[in-house]
Amino acid sequence: MLFKNQKATYMAYPSELASTLNQDAAQKSKQWLSKWPLLSPNATPLWSMKGTAHALGIKSLWIKDESKRSQLGSFKALGAPNALIKLILKHFPAFEADKILLGAYREQLANFAVVSATDGNHGRALAAASQSSGCPCTIVIHAQVSKEREDAIAAYDATMVRIAGNYDESVEEADRIAKENGWTVVSDTSYEGYTEIPRDVMQGYGVMAAEIVEQLEDNQKKPTHIILQGGVGGLAAGVFSYFWEHYGVERPIFVIVEPSQADCLYQSAIQGKPASATGSVDSIMAGLACGETSQIAWRFLQPSVDYFALIEDQDAIDSMLQLAQGYHEDTPIVGGESGVAGLALLRKLVEQDQLDVLELNANSEVLIINTEGATAPELFKELTGLTAEEVIAKQ
Ligand SMILES: Cc1ncc(COP(=O)(O)O)c(C=O)c1O
């Protein structure tokens, strides 16, 4: 359930990585996205969960709450839109970056079609950014994507294609459709020969890290540990790289948590190279149900992630309930299935009396990210007994 990565280093952020992902690029993304009406104009909250930290036996627990980022419901609202802007700029260098999502070039983009596979959140963000800028968008979903997630994407005018296979097969199908029609794939995962666009998606995720650094440093705080959930690894690479560059040799301990049946990053750590998941890749944590590691993300994760951990679906369900109810007098939070993975790992470690395995103790100050809210509202209600609105009303 836990793997210590012997390849993790504590050196200054290497220049060969900085040439791909860096703090300046994240700041630029922040500026480009800041005018998009679908995003909150303010930084998302960084909740200090004092009661939960005490109950877990650690000093502090901060939760960056991406359920508040956008009506799109997740941090993915930062990735695909950033990549789409950069892609459009590459083809239309005279356009102004911060006007693209405002629809200023709608007519010129009417035939600039994009396509992507998704397990929900990435496709929704790409569909919304395409609708705002005027690009036609096709989204490929796999058999396990729920009807409510499909409808949420289609609401942004995307053409939907559903295949019978799994996530990885939907990635292949998107690639095939793009080649057949001369369209561009805007994917959040990278594979052989396809790295530029997933890099730009990850760069957008750096916006969260930039906000967290400001929010923590306003209070003269620094985390000892950062725990992030892993799908293909893009979120973790985008956020950890920012913190690595920022803190250098003094960086916090980095941990990745995945569903045990979609353990591609855990397996990559064991094998020392991008690897596939060993399980069914079917998890209630839909955003984390990925079978293949993003190759470009792995370049950042192998030399920096100290521990890889696995959790079960039930761990996530229990943590959704805990967050929604506001245990230990902490603020109630709308945490979706994939959003709560960091808390689920902490609770599991406490239950198994294994906190020390991650070098956690009473002095630890831990940062986690609630990466999504109720992106599948009916499922959220079924699992927590509450609607997102009821949780928000108690905040
Ligand atoms: C809510 C949520 N959290 C985390 C992730 C994981 O991100 P990545 O696949 O970049 O590792 C996803 C991916 O879709 C997601 O939707």
Side-chain angles (χ1 to χ4, degrees):
M1 178 221 149
L2 276 172
F3 182 80
K4 183 172 167 56
N5 177 23
Q6 301 296 346
K7 296 206 163 78
T9 60
Y10 275 79
M11 53 163 117
Y13 188 54
S15 54
E16 74 268 18
L17 295 184
S19 60
T20 306
L21 285 182
N22 57 66
Q23 290 182 297
D24 290 345
Q27 291 292 353
K28 200 183 264 175
S29 304
K30 196 171 168 205
Q31 186 197 326
W32 289 350
L33 294 170
S34 65
K35 298 207 180 96
W36 193 28
L38 263 65
L39 289 186
S40 153
N42 305 315
T44 53
L46 185 69
W47 303 109
S48 177
M49 310 295 282
K50 294 200 171 72
T52 307
H54 182 74
L56 291 169
I58 57 178
K59 185 172 172 195
S60 315
L61 176 68
W62 295 291
I63 302 188
K64 178 72 168 166
D65 188 1
E66 290 302 301
S67 71
K68 305 267 190 191
R69 175 70 60 191
S70 155
Q71 68 188 58
L72 301 167
S74 81
F75 79 102
K76 292 261 160 181
L78 297 168
N82 188 58
L84 187 65
I85 293 174
K86 289 197 77 174
L87 175 69
I88 292 172
L89 286 178
K90 196 171 154 189
H91 288 80
F92 302 91
F95 287 6
E96 285 180 56
D98 51 5
K99 294 202 175 134
I100 292 174
L101 295 179
L102 300 181
Y105 308 107
R106 188 167 288 285
E107 280 167 26
Q108 295 96 311
L109 293 172
N111 294 314
F112 190 77
V114 293
V115 53
S116 181
T118 189
D119 40 34
N121 292 328
H122 170 74
R124 192 171 178 185
L126 180 62
S130 302
Q131 189 194 49
S132 295
S133 47
C135 306
C137 175
T138 298
I139 297 294
V140 186
I141 52 173
H142 58 85
Q144 301 297 332
V145 176
S146 68
K147 180 80 174 73
E148 66 173 335
R149 287 191 189 276
E150 175 178 356
D151 292 346
I153 302 169
Y156 292 95
D157 288 345
T159 303
M160 303 300 295
V161 176
R162 186 184 278 274
I163 62 153
N166 64 15
Y167 174 72
D168 301 306
E169 287 161 311
S170 66
V171 173
E172 285 165 25
E173 179 62 6
D175 199 47
R176 195 194 62 73
I177 293 176
K179 288 196 177 108
E180 193 173 278
N181 295 287
W183 299 344
T184 309
V185 175
V186 180
S187 172
D188 56 352
T189 193
S190 94
Y191 37 90
E192 202 60 46
Y194 182 76
T195 53
E196 206 173 305
I197 289 172
R199 174 204 64 197
D200 296 337
V201 170
M202 297 193 306
Q203 235 157 38
Y205 301 158
V207 171
M208 286 180 284
E211 289 179 2
I212 294 168
V213 163
E214 274 177 35
Q215 289 166 318
L216 285 176
E217 291 185 356
D218 278 354
N219 298 309
Q220 297 178 342
K221 292 286 187 190
K222 178 189 163 196
T224 58
H225 293 68
I226 305 178
I227 304 176
L228 292 178
Q229 47 279 72
V232 300
L235 161 74
V239 172
F240 284 149
S241 61
Y242 191 101
F243 284 107
W244 188 1
E245 186 177 3
H246 185 75
Y247 292 117
V249 292
E250 304 279 314
R251 71 166 175 82
I253 291 173
F254 294 160
V255 181
I256 285 188
V257 55
E258 294 170 284
S260 62
Q261 62 276 48
D263 58 348
C264 57
L265 301 171
Y266 188 92
Q267 291 301 329
S268 302
I270 292 173
Q271 295 177 34
K273 57 176 198 250
S276 309
T278 51
S280 66
V281 189
D282 177 19
S283 165
I284 197 161
M285 293 169 259
L288 312 185
C290 306
E292 299 291 335
T293 298
S294 166
Q295 294 194 2
I296 186 169
W298 190 247
R299 282 182 52 214
F300 295 83
L301 302 179
Q302 172 151 291
S304 67
V305 177
D306 299 283
Y307 296 96
F308 291 81
L310 302 175
I311 54 169
E312 306 304 322
D313 283 1
Q314 192 57 47
D315 300 322
I317 295 169
D318 295 345
S319 295
M320 285 173 75
L321 193 65
Q322 164 157 9
L323 273 188
Q325 293 187 335
Y327 274 9
H328 311 298
E329 293 176 20
D330 282 331
T331 308
I333 294 178
V334 184
E337 306 84 86
S338 299
V340 299
L343 178 64
L345 175 64
L346 286 169
R347 296 180 69 230
K348 185 170 186 156
L349 290 172
V350 170
E351 255 168 50
Q352 300 182 345
D353 202 14
Q354 281 202 316
L355 269 189
D356 58 333
V357 182
L358 286 191
E359 303 171 53
L360 286 160
N361 56 43
N363 294 319
S364 301
E365 305 203 74
V366 183
L367 168 69
I368 57 182
I369 301 184
N370 174 33
T371 50
E372 69 177 346
T375 52
E378 282 171 27
L379 185 60
F380 184 84
K381 170 99 207 262
E382 187 187 316
L383 296 176
T384 64
L386 295 164
T387 63
E389 294 70 30
E390 284 166 339
V391 177
I392 291 165
K394 292 191 288 165
Q395 283 181 343

